[in-house]
Amino acid sequence: VIAAKQAKVKSICWEHTNPRISTDYKFQKFCRKFGIKRSTKNVVITASALNYYDKIKENKTKLIYNPVDSKLFEIPSNYDVNSKKIISVGRVCFAKNYELLIDVAKDVLNKNTEWSWDVYGDGGNIEVLKEKIKSSSISDRLTMKGNVSNVYDLYKNYSFIVMTSRFEGFPMVLLEAAAKKLPMISFDIETGPNEIISNKDSYRAPPNTAPSCHT
């Protein structure tokens, strides 16, 4: 923003996550306020984030939702209603809350022994998560699949998708699932899921809980 001012060019700040969360770096809250006051425009991806920035009263914030990849609609398939497989997708990091996902999976899969759960994504602590799974009673049915290049093709093999994130922006994973008409279960965190999940086939659960499974 400073460089743009000095060069006399326009600048746009883009808020990609929940602006109430400041876990990425020191002085993140200050940087947000500094950016919106000195940039030409500020872009957010959820209505909740728009409300946050409107309180700063600069009147320069615009809501633009994340787009859905058109390639999703080129694959003529919906989810498998007869499948007994659950899918989760996302990079392995603090925000995605996979530690709690494993605890939830223990509850779900121990009560529904014919079901399995696949997690697609990679990241820094994936080996720690694999060790936690290995020491559990569900190690043969909860699998960390790592990164794949054909995730769009995989949705059709599953019955529903689960997202256990601590926080999100406007999550692409849920947008992709919605495009494939895949039922969704997500924590009802502050931004994202409540603007995507609204149909009768999906569900938002209280954040950061490990509820019992009800089939």
Side-chain angles (χ1 to χ4, degrees):
V1 170
I2 294 173
K5 281 286 186 183
Q6 291 177 337
K8 294 183 170 54
V9 297
K10 294 180 179 180
S11 63
I12 298 174
C13 287
W14 177 31
E15 177 61 75
H16 191 62
T17 186
N18 180 354
R20 297 167 185 80
I21 301 296
S22 295
T23 59
D24 291 341
Y25 54 87
K26 199 173 183 180
F27 305 124
Q28 192 169 2
K29 288 184 178 179
F30 168 80
C31 289
R32 284 187 168 108
K33 291 183 179 180
F34 183 92
I36 189 175
K37 288 179 180 294
R38 290 163 178 79
S39 63
T40 309
K41 288 289 182 181
N42 191 51
V43 174
V44 295
I45 56 177
T46 65
S48 176
L50 180 64
N51 179 63
Y52 174 89
Y53 280 106
D54 278 348
K55 292 177 181 178
I56 300 178
K57 298 180 180 178
E58 288 294 317
N59 196 31
K60 60 170 67 173
T61 301
K62 302 296 181 182
L63 169 61
I64 303 176
Y65 284 123
N66 282 337
V68 176
D69 191 340
S70 61
K71 291 180 181 177
L72 274 167
F73 301 101
E74 297 171 5
I75 305 171
S77 60
N78 293 327
Y79 74 98
D80 183 357
V81 69
N82 296 312
S83 172
K84 292 188 176 181
K85 296 170 62 178
I86 305 166
I87 184 174
S88 292
V89 181
R91 72 188 186 281
V92 179
C93 63
F94 175 79
K96 302 303 180 184
N97 205 10
Y98 282 141
E99 298 84 0
L100 184 55
L101 181 148
I102 295 173
D103 293 335
V104 173
K106 287 179 185 177
D107 187 34
V108 171
L109 298 181
N110 280 331
K111 292 178 180 178
N112 300 272
T113 56
E114 70 277 23
W115 284 71
S116 63
W117 194 328
D118 294 333
V119 180
Y120 293 89
D122 207 345
N125 67 337
I126 191 168
E127 295 304 322
V128 174
L129 297 175
K130 285 181 177 179
E131 284 300 316
K132 183 174 180 178
I133 294 170
K134 189 184 296 184
S135 63
S136 72
S137 59
I138 56 168
S139 58
D140 59 331
R141 290 181 294 127
L142 175 60
T143 307
M144 303 294 294
K145 294 285 191 177
N147 285 336
V148 294
S149 59
N150 65 331
V151 69
Y152 292 171
D153 297 317
L154 299 177
Y155 289 122
K156 67 179 182 295
N157 301 322
Y158 293 87
S159 183
F160 61 93
I161 190 169
V162 173
M163 193 179 79
T164 56
S165 295
R166 290 181 169 92
F167 56 89
E168 285 281 347
F170 195 63
M172 296 305 302
V173 165
L174 295 186
L175 288 180
E176 293 165 5
K180 302 309 295 179
K181 299 180 174 61
L182 184 66
M184 298 171 276
I185 297 177
S186 171
F187 284 149
D188 193 13
I189 49 181
E190 202 164 21
T191 60
N194 63 343
E195 294 180 51
I196 299 173
I197 297 177
S198 61
N199 63 69
K200 63 182 181 180
D201 296 323
S202 297
Y203 180 73
R204 300 196 308 270
N208 298 314
T209 57
S212 296
C213 177
H214 299 281
T215 55

